[in-house]
């Protein structure tokens, strides 16, 4: 559709040289995945906030592609709070984050991440030297996942904040 929210957003994006943040709220009625794919032209996007979007698999795959893409080399923040991220999705997202060398802050609070996802993030933290803040509070992380995350901190001196409350 010519005047759909996505086409309107795309036309505005093409008029701008630099975009520092993309914050989509549920009321925006913009397809998260369709919007992300159109940022691959080199905008200096520093933060993606898709809070409360209840990401579908296709949209999450596009987020993962963005994390892996050199077109998103300035991306420093990712907010996916209240997005319905499950353990399986967290593992996939974590894999993409391993390839990203710019993320400083990741907020995955209030999702459905459990011990499996927490263990994956623990492995990620052991080898990551960039991330400074990771919010995982409000998830379903139990003792096993919490212990794995705590153990990873002995090998990560860069992380300043880890919240799993």
């Amino acid at each position: 559709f010519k005047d759909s929210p996505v086409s309107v957003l795309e036309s505005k994006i093409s008029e701008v040289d630099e975009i520092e943040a993309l914050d989509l709220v549920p009321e925006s009625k913009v397809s998260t995945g369709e919007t992300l794919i159109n940022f691959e032209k080199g905008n200096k996007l520093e933060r993606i906030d898709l809070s409360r979007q209840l990401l579908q698999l296709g949209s999450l795959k596009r987020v993962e592609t963005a994390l892996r893409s050199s077109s998103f080399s300035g991306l420093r923040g990712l907010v996916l709070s209240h997005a319905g991220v499950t353990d399986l999705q967290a593992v996939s997202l974590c894999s993409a984050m391993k390839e990203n060398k710019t993320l400083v802050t990741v907020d995955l609070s209030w999702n459905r991440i459990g011990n499996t996802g927490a263990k994956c993030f623990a492995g990620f933290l052991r080898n990551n030297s960039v991330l400074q803040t990771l919010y995982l509070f409000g998830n379903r992380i139990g003792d096993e996942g919490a212990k794995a995350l705590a153990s990873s901190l002995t090998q990560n001196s860069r992380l300043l904040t880890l919240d799993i409350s």
Side-chain angles (χ1 to χ4, degrees):
F1 299 111
K2 184 179 176 193
D3 294 327
S4 74
V6 172
S7 64
V8 170
L9 182 60
E10 286 176 358
S11 69
K12 295 300 179 191
I13 289 169
S14 66
E15 298 171 9
V16 178
D17 291 329
E18 294 183 11
I19 296 176
E20 293 181 1
L22 171 64
D23 298 331
L24 296 179
V25 295
E27 294 79 25
S28 67
K29 296 186 174 99
V30 174
S31 170
T32 305
E34 289 177 35
T35 304
L36 281 176
I37 203 154
N38 293 303
F39 279 95
E40 294 192 23
K41 60 183 203 138
N43 281 300
K44 295 182 179 171
L45 191 63
E46 292 183 8
R47 187 185 75 242
I48 298 174
D49 185 343
L50 304 175
S51 300
R52 301 182 186 278
Q53 287 293 325
L54 295 176
L55 296 178
Q56 301 298 318
L57 186 59
S59 296
L60 190 61
K61 290 293 179 196
R62 288 191 175 102
V63 170
E64 292 168 12
T65 299
L67 290 174
R68 291 182 171 107
S69 172
S70 61
S71 296
F72 288 82
S73 61
L75 187 62
R76 297 176 51 79
L78 177 64
V79 182
L80 297 174
S81 66
H82 296 90
V85 178
T86 64
D87 254 349
L88 184 60
Q89 292 171 322
V91 169
S92 184
L93 188 62
C94 187
S95 174
M97 287 172 53
K98 288 178 183 177
E99 296 178 40
N100 182 286
K101 306 298 182 209
T102 62
L103 277 178
V104 176
T105 302
V106 174
D107 182 350
L108 288 162
S109 59
W110 299 107
N111 282 292
R112 299 183 311 216
I113 300 169
N115 289 331
T116 302
K119 288 179 187 177
C120 185
F121 282 109
F124 163 74
L125 289 173
R126 281 188 192 92
N127 300 307
N128 182 276
S129 60
V130 180
L131 193 70
Q132 295 178 6
T133 304
L134 178 59
Y135 296 119
L136 292 171
F137 60 88
N139 280 285
R140 300 173 179 173
I141 300 170
D143 290 345
E144 191 178 328
K147 287 177 185 174
L149 286 164
S151 172
S152 71
L153 297 180
T154 62
Q155 297 170 335
N156 184 315
S157 60
R158 185 72 174 170
L159 193 72
L160 301 174
T161 304
L162 172 63
D163 189 343
I164 59 170
S165 57

